Amino acid sequence: MHNHKISAWLQHPRRLLLLALLSLSAFAALPAQAEEVPGDHLQEYSTEERVDYVLGCMAANDQSYLTMQKCSCSIDVIAELMPYEAYEAVKTILSMQEQRGESGMLFRTERSMQDRLRAFRSAQAEADLRCF
């Protein structure tokens, strides 16, 4: 398919939902918390991803230098505890949960997605304990 045909195909909401579900189905097959050696995947998180997290963290707290240090520490802890693929899946789930109708409902109620969110929240809690 050419790029314009792909764009037109993706503009239909049900097709976009199907694509999102297919993308997440690969993640659903993985355990919510991979049994890896902590820190094995520290390098998987790009600089852009880390900066995006820090900016969001600072927006939720305050814009001080001290908060920037704490937020930087927090994403480092999360990267230590979660493979990037799992983190990326959680970002997708959180984004899709904001959708209205059956699209958002699926992402709010599906058990495997809720398990992933719990694993992420657990990593965030550990990051809060270590960094804040």
Side-chain angles (χ1 to χ4, degrees), residues 77-88:
V77 171
I78 291 169
E80 180 184 317
L81 299 173
M82 286 185 90
Y84 178 70
E85 292 81 17
Y87 177 80
E88 188 175 39

Side-chain angles (χ1 to χ4, degrees), residues 24 27 45 49 82-94:
L24 286 173
F27 295 118
Y45 287 67
E49 196 64 54
M82 286 185 90
Y84 178 70
E85 292 81 17
Y87 177 80
E88 188 175 39
V90 167
K91 283 181 50 177
T92 302
I93 292 166
L94 290 170

